[in-house]
């Protein structure tokens, strides 16, 4: 089992920045691909970004490319999503996920956090 706890959500103005963190505990963090997904009001859960176990490779959703950066610190068992130039449409509950498949599909991730809410005001 892997336990994931997100933090860093809150209210931010459009154009601002927010930094989300995900702390992992349980099984060896370095075994897992890590990702962020989000679910906005009235929307389905969607892929945001993912990073390989080594941190060498990343994939981003087109909607966040160039604005968001995913990174990980394997010594601290954390993964971070730095969000810049935020837009109202980025408003969502953001979830951290861990799995073995490097990709955009939610079914590739076994473990999920409870989520942290990000609200971007216009």
């Amino acid at each position: 089992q892997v336990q994931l706890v997100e933090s860093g959500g809150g209210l931010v103005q459009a154009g601002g920045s927010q930094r989300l963190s995900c702390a992992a505990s349980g099984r060896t963090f370095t075994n897992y691909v890590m990702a962020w997904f989000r679910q906005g009001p009235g929307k389905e859960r969607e892929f945001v970004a993912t990073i390989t176990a080594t941190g060498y490779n990343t994939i981003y959703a087109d909607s966040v490319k160039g604005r968001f950066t995913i990174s990980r610190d394997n010594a601290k068992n954390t993964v971070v999503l730095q969000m810049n130039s935020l837009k109202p449409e980025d408003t969502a509950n953001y979830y951290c996920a861990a799995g073995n498949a490097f990709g955009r599909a939610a079914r590739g991730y076994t473990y999920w956090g409870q989520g942290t809410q990000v609200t971007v005001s216009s």
Side-chain angles (χ1 to χ4, degrees), residues 4 8 30 35 40 42-43 51 59 68 75 85 91 93 113 115:
L4 302 172
T30 53
K43 298 181 180 179
I51 188 167
I59 302 173
F68 291 12
S85 303
T91 294
N93 205 6

Side-chain angles (χ1 to χ4, degrees), residues 14-71:
S17 298
Q18 198 84 346
R19 181 182 175 93
L20 304 182
S21 293
C22 174
S25 60
R27 293 193 173 184
T28 306
F29 179 70
T30 53
N31 287 347
Y32 294 97
V33 174
M34 299 298 296
W36 289 93
F37 287 77
R38 68 185 182 185
Q39 187 167 14
K43 298 181 180 179
E44 294 186 353
R45 188 172 298 191
E46 65 174 352
F47 168 78
V48 176
T50 185
I51 188 167
T52 54
T54 60
Y56 290 159
N57 297 99
T58 57
I59 302 173
Y60 293 93
D62 288 344
S63 59
V64 307
K65 199 174 296 183
R67 300 188 298 123
F68 291 12
T69 302
I70 188 172
S71 62

